[in-house]
Amino acid sequence: METSRIALPIGTALDRFIKNNQDQFQYASGELSQLLRDIALASKVVNREINKAGLIDIMGAMGTQNTGGEQQQKLDVLANIRFTRALSKGGEVCALISEETESYVDLNNEGKYVIAIDPLDGSSNIDVNVSVGTIFSVYRRKSEIGQPIAAPDILQRGDEQVAAGYILYGSSTMLVYTAGHGVNGFTHEPSLGEYVLSHPDMTIPAQGKIYSINEGLSNSFSPGVRAYLQYCKDNNYTARYVGSLVADFHRNLLKGGIYLYPPTAKDKNGKLRLMYECNALAFIAEQAGGKATDGRERIMAIQPTSLHQRTPFIVGSAEMVERAVAY
Ligand code: FDP
C-alpha cells in the first residue's frame, strides 16, 4: 500500500517554505525570513486570543481612542502588544509604525527593517464573531545601521516594500504574503500549530463578478463612482461586503472582484490608511496580477507625507480596476 494512503502528507510548513525560498528575499541574509517567522508566531498568539473572545473578558471597547479617533477595542490593543513584543524581541526591526500608536515606535538601532502594521483590522467586527485580519508591510531602512532612524526610513513608498502580507482570522486562519516573487497562502493547522502551504502561487482572475463597497455611503460618492456602481448592477455583478478589509480583499483575490473605498463626505480622502492597510494589499494584488489605485495613480507610487495618511482605495482584478478608473 502506498504510504501516502495511510499517512497523508501535511504539506510544506511556512518555516520550511521560507527556508527553501530564501534566495527570493532581497538582500537574503536570514533576517527578513526570521522577521516573517516572528510575525507568524505573534499571529498564532493573536489567533488563540481571538478564538477565546466571548469566553474571557477581551471583547469590547478599551475606553480609549486610536490615532484616527476611533474607539480602541481590547483586542486591538492586545494584538498591538503581541506584534510589538514579537518584533522587538527578534531584533531585526528598527522601527514600527502601527495604527494603534501616534508616532512610530523606535525599537533597535541595529535592526535592518521598518514594519508598518495594522495589528487588528476590521475591529468593528470583533464583537460579532466576523472575520478580522492583520496587515503588514516590510521596508528596508535607508539610514546606516546603528544610527537613530530618520524620516526617510519611515515615510517610504509602497514600491519600496521588500515584503508584505496579511493574516485572515476567518473560518480558518490564513497567512498570505509576498516577497516580490508571487503570492503564497498558508492555512493554520490548529492541532500542529503550523501554517501549511495551501495556496501556492496565488493569482487573481483578470475579471470577476463581485464588487465590494459600503454602498450605504453612496449619497456622498462622486458621480463617477456612482456611475461605476450602476455599471456593476447593469451587468449583474454580485455585491459582497464583510466590512473587514482583509476578508473582502481575500475573497476577491480568490474569486475575482473589486474592492472600493472612495472619498466620502465624512472622509474626504477615503477612510483607509496608505501605510499599513493599502500598500501591503496593493503589493499583494500586483504580485497576483491585479491592480491597486487611488483613482489617479498606483497606490504604491504615492509618496507618503505622514504616518497615518488616508487614501481612496480601489483594488482587485486588473480589468475591473481599469474600468472603475475609467469612470
Ligand atoms: P474597521 O473600521 O472596522 O476597523 O480599516 C478599517 C475598516 O474596518 C476596514 O477593515 C473595513 O474594510 C472598513 O474600515 C469598513 O469601513 P465602513 O464601516 O465605513 O464600511
Side-chain angles (χ1 to χ4, degrees):
M1 185 190 268
E2 254 184 76
T3 51
S4 62
R5 283 182 59 196
I6 48 168
L8 283 175
I10 57 160
T12 309
L14 177 64
D15 267 12
R16 168 66 45 215
F17 184 87
I18 289 173
K19 279 200 191 100
N20 289 352
N21 292 282
Q22 178 75 23
D23 56 332
Q24 294 194 345
F25 293 106
Q26 252 179 312
Y27 322 102
S29 60
E31 281 109 328
L32 180 54
S33 30
Q34 182 54 44
L35 196 162
L36 276 173
R37 288 198 286 267
D38 291 343
I39 291 178
L41 178 60
S43 78
K44 289 182 204 171
V45 181
V46 171
N47 183 47
R48 189 187 65 187
E49 308 295 336
I50 290 173
N51 279 314
K52 283 191 294 193
L55 295 174
I56 55 172
D57 182 28
I58 48 171
M59 292 215 293
M62 279 289 285
T64 49
Q65 293 188 339
N66 70 9
T67 53
E70 292 139 7
Q71 279 291 325
Q72 275 184 312
Q73 306 291 312
K74 287 179 194 159
L75 271 170
D76 280 331
V77 175
L78 184 143
N80 194 44
I81 294 171
R82 290 294 182 194
F83 282 104
T84 309
R85 205 177 274 164
L87 291 166
S88 58
K89 282 209 171 128
E92 296 87 15
V93 179
C94 57
L96 189 132
I97 302 159
S98 162
E99 174 167 36
E100 304 306 326
T101 45
E102 190 64 47
S103 178
Y104 60 81
V105 183
D106 203 340
L107 285 182
N108 165 16
N109 286 345
E110 304 303 319
K112 282 188 188 161
Y113 295 98
V114 173
I115 300 275
I117 190 164
D118 185 351
L120 207 60
D121 184 72
S123 21
S124 53
N125 277 327
I126 295 172
D127 285 358
V128 289
N129 221 338
V130 173
S131 305
V132 288
T134 296
I135 308 174
F136 62 91
S137 292
V138 185
Y139 297 89
R140 207 168 152 83
R141 73 181 292 167
K142 292 186 169 173
S143 57
E144 253 177 64
I145 293 176
Q147 296 296 311
I149 39 161
D153 296 321
I154 302 295
L155 296 175
Q156 300 199 39
R157 282 179 298 109
D159 272 331
E160 296 172 285
Q161 292 171 103
V162 290
Y166 60 80
I167 294 109
L168 172 60
Y169 310 98
S171 44
S172 64
T173 297
M174 277 196 74
L175 185 151
V176 174
Y177 85 90
T178 182
H181 296 269
V183 180
N184 289 286
F186 300 80
T187 301
H188 186 238
E189 213 292 19
S191 59
L192 296 173
E194 289 279 2
Y195 283 107
V196 178
L197 181 64
S198 51
H199 295 64
D201 272 325
M202 298 172 86
T203 53
I204 181 167
Q207 174 69 44
K209 280 279 184 187
I210 296 172
Y211 72 107
S212 312
I213 186 167
N214 184 347
E215 241 183 319
L217 304 171
S218 62
N219 282 350
S220 63
F221 293 161
S222 68
V225 173
R226 288 215 291 266
Y228 177 68
L229 296 181
Q230 191 54 50
Y231 169 88
C232 293
K233 288 168 200 154
D234 293 344
N235 285 274
N236 297 321
Y237 285 10
T238 191
R240 288 285 181 275
Y241 190 70
V242 176
S244 272
L245 178 58
V246 174
D248 283 310
F249 177 86
H250 183 72
R251 182 203 48 244
N252 293 354
L253 174 64
L254 294 183
K255 298 198 163 185
I258 184 167
Y259 176 97
L260 305 98
Y261 209 114
T264 62
K266 181 167 168 268
D267 293 305
K268 300 266 179 294
N269 225 359
K271 177 184 181 190
L272 303 177
R273 311 304 184 128
L274 174 63
M275 292 213 61
Y276 41 79
E277 291 182 312
C278 303
N279 270 337
L281 300 185
F283 192 16
I284 292 168
E286 287 196 7
Q287 284 291 317
K291 290 200 163 172
T293 165
D294 68 354
R296 292 200 164 78
E297 64 177 322
R298 279 175 64 241
I299 287 291
M300 291 203 290
I302 300 172
Q303 173 61 53
T305 51
S306 68
L307 289 188
H308 302 290
Q309 182 169 335
R310 298 179 194 266
T311 178
F313 193 40
I314 305 175
V315 65
S317 294
E319 287 172 18
M320 298 176 88
V321 173
E322 279 161 21
R323 184 177 294 277
V325 170
Y327 272 89

